[in-house]
Amino acid sequence: MITATAPKKFSVITYGCQMNDHDSEIMEGLLRSRGYEKTEDEHDADVVVFNTCCVREGAENRAIQRAQSLAAAKERRPGLVVAMSGCVAQDQGKRLLDRIPSLDIVIGTRDYIRLPELIEKYQIDGERIVATEDIDKPFSVNLVPIREQKLKGFVNIMYGCNNSCTYCIVPKTRGEEWSRPLAEVVDEVRGMVAQGYREVMLLGQNVNSYMTAAREDFADLLSALNEIDGLWRIRYTTSNPKSCRDRHIEAVAGCDKVMENLHLPVQSGNNRVLRMMKRAYNVERYRYLVEKFRAQNPLHSLTTDIIVGFPTETEEEFQDTLNLVRDMRYDNAFMFIYSPRAGTVSADTMVDDVPMKVKKDRLQRLIDLQESIAFEKNQEEIGRLHEVLVEGISKKDPGQLVGHTRTFKRVVFDGNARLIGSRVNVTITGGNGHTLMGDVVTREASFA
Ligand code: SAH
Ligand code: SF4
Ligand code: F3S
């Protein structure tokens, strides 16, 4: 008698940046291709993968605690396989097996494509596995990820980071910078467009230092992608001020599909702090680059990342950051309290001497300032016309649709769900610091 067995289920829980989001999509694709089905509930899964981040202590602790909390489930169901991938896995390797008794597999940031084989090996041998050794190898993944939404998708253009910002763990967890061949990226995007994707987000820690073995740079890549018929929009992150060359600025201006948002992390508005961070630019250079970029790309929104409370940062130096934020008038900013990470230069050689109370106070003042600027800038949008890619139904109000402008601002508006997947012209009628409201004035046809 043949008995049908229920398909095995997996759950991938993701922390951290868009690189991790995309790596998770690839792991999900690999597991599905082996017959696994996805479940959102880790307590119902046969395989649970925690894809982790250690850029700040909070993110790391959250992932570890959640993995530890599976101990009881593991005892009830000995067949359950628990794996940890991503930056914590790469950084800590086998130490994680001691910290998390219920963990079976530790898998590094360039080893995760072996996930299904490692699961099988573990199931056969029953021995816990640490696979983090591929970090030293050149890397390129040409696998089909399972992207959840068939409209916008991530594409890796490079891996790793060759910079040495003193606070940052990423070069250690992601390895040496390595750019994927241009033709391979173009092929992947063509394939996505054939499946119906209209917007791609190019991913890398320093996308504007993209440089292939054949000496193709980021400007070449943008120009090649801009030629793809059926592709509407190209986004990219993160650009590093250090590598912001004229060719990048001109290519953005010359490629009509490149979206009007520049994410250019500044980290601090003070030169002494920037030097201690080893960011390789000063405030004057940063201001000059933004001015030059805005002169050629006047419609762009500008976003950034900022760290407060870096070792020895004084109140006056923090005020330099506030002044820079006031002058730049960022549309949005990701703002963080400095978090010392073992193995980085700042954690190993500098004293984390800004008291937490002061750090929190600086963060709050910075957030208050940035939110008031974001609110003002969104008020200035009222009456303007924007092209919006209609992405779905608003979670808050099922009668409304939601999408993004080419400046990457979120807009909600009334409309029929049939518009999802198309572009519409929207007049902005209102907005707060985070979202704009609008009215549809023209549909897709006007773009033909
Ligand atoms: N490659 C990107 C950033 C990657 S990490 C770049 O260079 O811009 C994303 C952000 O996390 C950084 O821009 C920084 O603002 C923040 N970050 C990194 N390490 C941190 C730390 N130790 N403490 C607090 N924030 C940190
Ligand atoms: Fe970290 Fe600096 Fe590399 Fe960005 S550029 S990933 S902040 S080391
Ligand atoms: Fe975190 Fe690693 Fe991304 S440390 S921010 S998941 S590169």
Side-chain angles (χ1 to χ4, degrees), residues 79-105:
L80 171 65
V81 179
V82 183
M84 187 167 272
S85 61
C87 290
V88 177
Q90 186 65 52
D91 187 38
Q92 301 205 10
K94 67 176 182 331
R95 273 178 291 154
L96 281 176
L97 295 182
D98 301 329
R99 287 182 76 180
I100 313 172
S102 50
L103 186 61
D104 304 309
I105 303 174

Side-chain angles (χ1 to χ4, degrees), residues 346-400:
S346 67
D348 294 352
T349 67
M350 301 174 198
V351 182
D352 181 21
D353 58 354
V354 180
M356 186 46 91
K357 195 167 165 290
V358 175
K359 285 178 173 167
K360 283 191 174 157
D361 173 66
R362 287 183 191 164
L363 181 67
Q364 196 53 54
R365 283 152 67 203
L366 178 61
I367 290 174
D368 290 347
L369 170 63
Q370 177 50 42
E371 293 215 326
S372 70
I373 295 169
F375 182 82
E376 272 170 29
K377 288 197 86 165
N378 280 354
Q379 293 297 301
E380 288 163 18
E381 294 285 346
I382 294 173
R384 289 188 189 151
L385 192 65
H386 276 283
E387 175 202 296
V388 173
L389 177 63
V390 189
E391 290 154 20
I393 291 168
S394 159
K395 281 200 185 107
K396 270 204 199 133
D397 178 354
Q400 289 205 301

Side-chain angles (χ1 to χ4, degrees), residues 239-285:
S239 303
N240 194 311
K242 177 183 149 184
S243 319
C244 207
R245 299 184 193 91
D246 286 350
R247 273 178 63 76
H248 165 198
I249 299 176
E250 280 156 20
V252 169
C255 293
D256 60 334
K257 293 178 182 171
V258 173
M259 288 170 71
E260 282 98 30
N261 168 247
L262 178 67
H263 184 63
L264 199 64
V266 70
Q267 313 298 359
S268 165
N270 176 269
N271 282 340
R272 192 189 68 88
V273 175
L274 285 175
R275 264 198 312 279
M276 286 188 75
M277 289 176 163
K278 265 200 149 186
R279 282 292 286 183
Y281 54 84
N282 59 21
V283 177
E284 292 71 32
R285 170 90 187 147

Side-chain angles (χ1 to χ4, degrees), residues 16-17 20 52-55 87 169-170 173-174 205:
C17 64
N20 262 13
T52 58
C53 170
C54 55
V55 80
C87 290
I169 194 77
V170 172
T173 61
R174 293 274 164 176
Q205 294 297 352

Side-chain angles (χ1 to χ4, degrees), residues 143-172:
L143 294 165
V144 181
I146 302 288
R147 297 182 171 98
E148 290 288 315
Q149 183 211 36
K150 294 245 176 277
L151 189 59
K152 302 172 21 161
F154 296 127
V155 179
N156 273 324
I157 66 165
M158 63 203 299
Y159 303 95
C161 176
N162 278 357
N163 290 328
S164 40
C165 305
T166 53
Y167 51 82
C168 186
I169 194 77
V170 172
K172 186 172 170 212

